[in-house]
Amino acid sequence: MTSSEDDEKWMSYALLLAEKAAEHGEVPVGAVVVRDGKVLGEGWNKPISGHDPSAHAEIIALREAAANIANYRLVDATLYVTIEPCTMCAGAIVHSRVKRLVFGATEPKAGAVISNGQVLDQPWMNYRVHYQGGVLAEDCSGCISAFFQRRRDEKKIAKRLKQQAGQSGS
């Protein structure tokens, strides 16, 4: 399998994890840490259900991977994530010594790899992570867009029902 085929395979897996987040009402982001063709850790967004602002998919996957190998250094591992990591996650990726980051869609508002801040390229970072974006970007972006469209539609329906209930109660 070529590297790009591997990247697409693991990004597809991360997308399945993102769907689990959506099923639980979380923003659909999935992440998987892979080394030597084996999953070391995986995760999906859980900040709402976990009452934990740090429970991003990447953080959960990194924690699980580190626990599974009993080492906080994830040397020679690749992290696949469906959306460009935020500043917090970019910092954790550096500290974990992940060799490579592969993400799907960019995140214009909070992405900190290429969209804003370019955290991984800062000269003051004490470790260099190789990164690549755009793997299955349309699928990853579509997953997020569909989630937020459903949320907007649900809010409109709830508002309409509330208005109708108010009218019938008068």
Side-chain angles (χ1 to χ4, degrees), residues 41-80:
E42 62 185 46
W44 58 88
N45 269 2
K46 296 181 183 177
I48 298 167
S49 60
H51 311 291
D52 179 357
S54 70
H56 290 196
E58 301 95 321
I59 300 296
I60 293 167
L62 292 170
R63 285 177 180 160
E64 186 175 286
N68 283 337
I69 65 167
N71 191 338
Y72 74 105
R73 303 282 195 196
L74 302 173
V75 177
D76 293 326
T78 299
L79 172 64
Y80 295 89

Side-chain angles (χ1 to χ4, degrees), residues 1-11 37 80 100:
M1 206 180 290
T2 67
S3 179
S4 65
E5 287 172 332
D6 262 354
D7 289 350
E8 288 184 9
K9 169 189 164 185
W10 291 115
M11 190 60 71
Y80 295 89
R100 188 166 170 251

Side-chain angles (χ1 to χ4, degrees), residues 3-113:
S3 179
S4 65
E5 287 172 332
D6 262 354
D7 289 350
E8 288 184 9
K9 169 189 164 185
W10 291 115
M11 190 60 71
S12 293
Y13 186 76
L15 275 163
L16 292 175
L17 297 170
E19 290 174 17
K20 289 184 180 190
E23 290 169 10
H24 292 93
E26 301 277 2
V27 175
V29 179
V32 60
V33 178
V34 177
R35 185 168 65 191
D36 299 325
K38 295 185 176 96
V39 173
L40 298 181
E42 62 185 46
W44 58 88
N45 269 2
K46 296 181 183 177
I48 298 167
S49 60
H51 311 291
D52 179 357
S54 70
H56 290 196
E58 301 95 321
I59 300 296
I60 293 167
L62 292 170
R63 285 177 180 160
E64 186 175 286
N68 283 337
I69 65 167
N71 191 338
Y72 74 105
R73 303 282 195 196
L74 302 173
V75 177
D76 293 326
T78 299
L79 172 64
Y80 295 89
V81 61
T82 55
I83 196 98
E84 178 184 1
C86 69
T87 304
M88 173 184 69
C89 293
I93 291 164
V94 168
H95 290 296
S96 71
R97 301 300 194 260
V98 163
K99 182 177 187 174
R100 188 166 170 251
L101 163 68
V102 178
F103 62 91
T106 56
E107 212 307 28
K109 291 181 182 174
V113 176

Side-chain angles (χ1 to χ4, degrees), residues 119 121-128:
V119 171
D121 293 327
Q122 295 305 312
W124 41 264
M125 281 296 179
N126 62 344
Y127 177 78
R128 294 285 163 234

